[in-house]
Amino acid sequence: MTEGARRYGFGALAHRNFRLFFIGQGISLIGTWMQNVGEGWLILTLTNSPFYVGLTAALSSIGVLLFSLYAGVIADRTDKRRFIILMQVAFMLEAFTVSILVWTGVVAVWQVLVLATILGIASAFDIPMRQSFVVEMVGKDDLMNAIALNSSLFNAARVIGPAIAGLLIGAVGIAWCYFLNGVSYIAVIAGLLMMRLPPNPQPPKTTSAWTGFREVLTYLRNDRRVRTLMILTAILSVFGFPYIAMMPVFARDVLHRGAEGYGALTSSIGVGAVIGALAIAWSSARIRARGRLMLSGGVALGMLLILFAASRSLAVSMVLLGLAGFAMIVNNALTNTLLQTTAPDHLRGRIMGFYSFVFVGMAPFGAFLFGLVAEHVGVPATIAVGGVIVALAVMIAAWTVPEIRTT
């Protein structure tokens, strides 16, 4: 397995702990995407409002906005595996709770919103823990490969999960999307428990959480390249990525399709992203101009969103979303790699906490803003304006911070 994995450009899979993580995550992520699609369709069914679709997506991320910076400090001081397991249990309980509410016919909008908020709080601690845990499983040499493989897994699940969800919603109902997602967490918990990790004593807690937070702020203030990567991630999170939250509205109101059309659009993003992630994983040892490639992905994403907004054909929309998924994952995976390989070991958890804050935590503003604007000017115009802002921001960064291009 070790030699074969390295020969074909998948060196991270040579590590037993990462293989366990990879398999467990693969099963769990399919369930997560099934729930994501089910949640979007559930809230649209209950409210018939693009605003509430955007609000639900926003509340799912608001916890990351509020707690991920603190979670990054905790990540540098705790047993990451144990903490990740606790968060998986929390996700499982949330999924089972919604499935029961739907099955019993008592589900209400406020319940979905409250549980989405709880899910976001758990995610605030889970994301930086998992991000900074990867290097403990594979080391720095295989880190970029591991990040790309994780991205391919995430987006393969984005293809499979929505397709299954679309069929389930039409055949047996939304509750099954939540229930099967709850069951899927067993796989990732089992994988984490089976890992054999070397002793990794944690640094003594000699400073307060606030002091640890100020330390990472000082680092960001003194490193213009890392600071710019964070700013770009925030801009893409607010003005680029929320197009995904608008997919149920775009499918129904613009393309005049049902749950199957919505699943097809979401799956198309995943197909492109899987191809992009596997391309990065396969060529990770040979990629030299990482910064230039990352910037190109950002500009391409903005341009593709503009074109997608103008489409009125399901087939054309699926092609454009596939290309957008490819561009998005190239930008995301390389940004993640640049941040983790640049960060000092003792700051990695906090850097990834900050990254989670801007990548996921800023998403509530984008999702809320997209839902609010789409309510008044329509989804296509909203997505197009977001694409313009993304493309311009990345081009300005490429021009004003040349050290990113040469990284």
Side-chain angles (χ1 to χ4, degrees):
M1 177 70 182
T2 299
E3 292 304 319
R6 295 193 182 282
R7 183 181 304 118
Y8 292 105
F10 303 119
L13 291 175
H15 302 267
R16 177 182 180 274
N17 289 336
F18 183 76
R19 290 199 302 273
L20 289 169
F21 182 79
F22 190 81
I23 294 169
Q25 282 286 105
I27 296 170
S28 178
L29 284 170
I30 291 173
T32 299
W33 275 107
M34 289 168 58
Q35 176 168 316
N36 287 348
V37 171
E39 183 174 75
W41 204 252
L42 174 62
I43 203 69
L44 189 61
T45 302
L46 291 173
T47 67
N48 198 37
S49 169
F51 170 76
Y52 274 99
V53 173
L55 178 62
T56 306
L59 292 175
S60 297
S61 302
I62 194 70
V64 182
L65 176 68
L66 297 176
F67 298 108
S68 61
L69 295 178
Y70 176 68
V73 176
I74 298 300
D76 284 329
R77 302 179 173 190
T78 192
D79 183 336
K80 296 181 182 65
R81 176 173 61 168
R82 183 180 303 171
F83 214 107
I84 294 168
I85 290 172
L86 290 175
M87 293 304 100
Q88 303 310 301
V89 172
F91 295 149
M92 178 190 293
L93 293 176
E94 186 270 347
F96 283 146
T97 300
V98 179
S99 68
I100 292 170
L101 290 172
V102 175
W103 266 326
T104 55
V106 299
V107 66
V109 175
W110 71 267
Q111 295 167 340
V112 179
L113 297 180
V114 169
L115 288 167
T117 303
I118 295 172
L119 186 72
I121 294 172
S123 297
F125 291 89
D126 178 69
I127 295 171
M129 293 287 177
R130 277 190 294 109
Q131 295 276 1
S132 55
F133 185 55
V134 172
V135 73
E136 295 183 18
M137 291 185 283
V138 302
K140 285 189 175 181
D141 289 344
D142 288 321
L143 179 60
M144 182 177 177
N145 189 263
I147 291 171
L149 286 173
N150 272 340
S151 296
S152 67
L153 194 67
F154 179 84
N155 289 287
R158 190 202 293 265
V159 177
I160 300 169
I164 296 174
L167 294 174
L168 285 176
I169 291 171
V172 293
I174 294 171
W176 279 95
C177 296
Y178 283 90
F179 177 75
L180 291 177
N181 180 43
V183 173
S184 74
Y185 285 109
I186 296 173
V188 68
I189 293 171
L192 287 162
L193 290 172
M194 291 170 63
M195 288 183 184
R196 295 194 293 263
L197 296 171
N200 184 27
Q202 299 299 319
K205 303 174 185 178
T206 56
T207 60
S208 66
W210 174 244
T211 300
F213 176 60
R214 284 193 303 174
E215 190 176 358
V216 76
L217 284 181
T218 300
Y219 176 77
L220 290 172
R221 187 164 53 245
N222 294 332
D223 193 316
R224 186 170 74 149
R225 180 180 56 175
V226 173
R227 186 172 67 250
T228 303
L229 289 173
M230 291 292 190
I231 293 171
L232 281 179
T233 301
I235 291 172
L236 266 69
S237 181
V238 173
F239 298 105
F241 304 150
Y243 79 95
I244 298 173
M246 292 291 104
M247 283 303 102
V249 186
F250 197 93
R252 192 191 68 173
D253 296 346
V254 179
L255 299 179
H256 308 294
R257 302 284 178 153
E260 293 80 3
Y262 169 35
L265 291 177
T266 308
S267 295
S268 297
I269 301 171
V271 169
V274 167
I275 295 171
L278 289 176
I280 293 173
W282 181 72
S283 58
S284 58
R286 298 183 294 277
I287 295 176
R288 294 294 176 262
R290 295 176 179 179
R292 191 182 300 273
L293 186 57
M294 180 274 297
L295 293 167
S296 299
V299 173
L301 174 62
M303 301 301 293
L304 286 162
L305 290 182
I306 297 169
L307 294 174
F308 168 71
S311 172
R312 297 297 179 269
S313 161
L314 178 62
V316 173
S317 296
M318 289 173 65
V319 171
L320 291 170
L321 286 177
L323 294 172
F326 185 100
M328 182 172 64
I329 210 63
V330 166
N331 178 272
N332 293 352
L334 289 170
T335 298
N336 191 317
T337 300
L338 290 172
L339 289 172
Q340 290 215 53
T341 53
T342 301
D345 290 342
H346 71 285
L347 287 177
R348 184 170 294 108
R350 278 165 281 181
I351 289 292
M352 297 319 293
F354 211 99
Y355 176 69
S356 301
F357 171 75
V358 296
F359 184 68
V360 181
M362 297 294 291
F365 293 110
F368 183 82
L369 181 63
F370 267 48
L372 184 62
V373 174
E375 193 88 13
H376 294 90
V377 303
V379 172
T382 304
I383 293 175
V385 171
V388 170
I389 294 172
V390 166
L392 287 176
V394 178
M395 287 189 285
I396 290 171
W399 179 263
T400 58
V401 190
E403 54 262 46
I404 295 180
R405 301 197 307 268
T406 58
T407 300

